[in-house]
Amino acid sequence: MTDAEREELRRHGILLTSLEELYNWGRSNSIWPLQFGLACCAIEMIAAATARFDIARFGAEIFRPSPRQADLMIVSGTVTKKMAPLVVRLWNQMPEPKYCIAMGACAISGGPFKQGYNVLKGIDRYIPVDIYIPGCPPRPEALLHGLTQLQAKIRGEHLAGPDQAQHLRPANPGELPIPDYGAHDLEPPHNPARFSPPSLPRKA
Ligand code: SF4
């Protein structure tokens, strides 16, 4: 049945759905973010939960203090190399299905501290990021927009078939390796299964 036909039925008060749509609709409207922030962007994340912006309108107001009760990690702020292993450890402790939003330039790429010896140049070097929200800092409305984008992504996930959601595939790695503090940098400096640094061609 085409979307147009279903819309026509809806206009006549007949609602058709599938188990997959119902399941994804419920999940997308009940997202529980992990309550932690790393720097200034976290203030905007906190503001999104206040009455003025009211993230509760999108079903994501239950910020949890434990990763074991959360399914969304909002990495909001500067990820220092000292903090990065702990972020990966928290990610590993979250149950599947789980999602990650990188909020702000720091979480995406290191932001204004990109050249700093102690700052990770993007959390996607270690964990999978579903939604990137640029800005320094992004406003709460940007976080709400990112959240609606994530909801659309969840609603589009398939429970079976060749396009099956990542968390349902047998090859899903489950826990990701946690980097260690080396003599000069994190070891490894990125998860090779997740990130490949761009190679710049050298001039002869
Ligand atoms: S992106 Fe800007 S506002 Fe956000 S944590 Fe970094 S420096 Fe602070």
Side-chain angles (χ1 to χ4, degrees):
M1 177 172 284
T2 65
D3 287 347
E5 288 169 334
R6 291 212 302 183
E7 190 53 38
E8 180 64 23
L9 284 174
R10 269 189 195 138
R11 273 202 288 275
H12 290 86
I14 300 170
L15 189 62
L16 285 185
T17 188
S18 64
L19 181 61
E20 184 176 86
E21 281 181 348
L22 199 58
Y23 176 73
N24 287 342
W25 173 82
R27 290 196 306 125
S28 66
N29 287 293
S30 177
I31 295 174
W32 291 22
L34 177 62
Q35 186 181 29
F36 87 118
L38 297 171
C40 5
C41 274
I43 303 302
E44 303 298 315
M45 176 182 70
I46 294 165
T50 60
R52 181 178 175 88
F53 300 100
D54 195 11
I55 201 171
R57 290 176 293 153
F58 305 93
E61 77 278 19
I62 306 181
F63 281 76
R64 304 308 299 173
S66 163
R68 299 185 192 282
Q69 301 167 346
D71 57 4
L72 171 62
M73 173 181 275
I74 304 173
V75 183
S76 53
T78 321
V79 186
T80 61
K81 290 181 179 172
K82 193 168 186 180
M83 191 66 185
L86 307 178
V87 175
V88 182
R89 190 181 296 276
L90 288 170
W91 174 260
N92 284 344
Q93 290 176 354
M94 290 167 62
E96 294 278 8
K98 57 189 172 185
Y99 305 92
C100 177
I101 290 178
M103 181 181 180
C106 281
I108 293 172
S109 66
F113 313 111
K114 188 179 179 70
Q115 301 306 326
Y117 70 94
N118 61 335
V119 171
L120 192 69
K121 296 173 180 60
I123 193 58
D124 61 359
R125 292 179 178 227
Y126 289 110
I127 64 176
V129 172
D130 298 282
I131 302 290
Y132 295 83
I133 305 177
C136 180
R139 284 186 51 85
E141 294 96 327
L143 177 57
L144 297 179
H145 177 69
L147 182 65
T148 58
Q149 295 297 301
L150 180 63
Q151 288 177 319
K153 181 173 183 173
I154 293 173
R155 283 196 290 270
E157 285 185 340
H158 295 291
L159 303 183
D163 298 328
Q164 193 177 32
Q166 176 71 29
H167 66 273
L168 297 172
R169 293 185 200 163
N172 179 17
E175 289 195 4
L176 298 176
I178 300 172
D180 212 344
Y181 305 117
H184 302 290
D185 204 345
L186 289 172
E187 299 286 351
H190 57 265
N191 178 348
R194 294 229 50 82
F195 177 84
S196 310
S199 59
L200 293 175
R202 290 182 181 278
K203 289 183 183 168

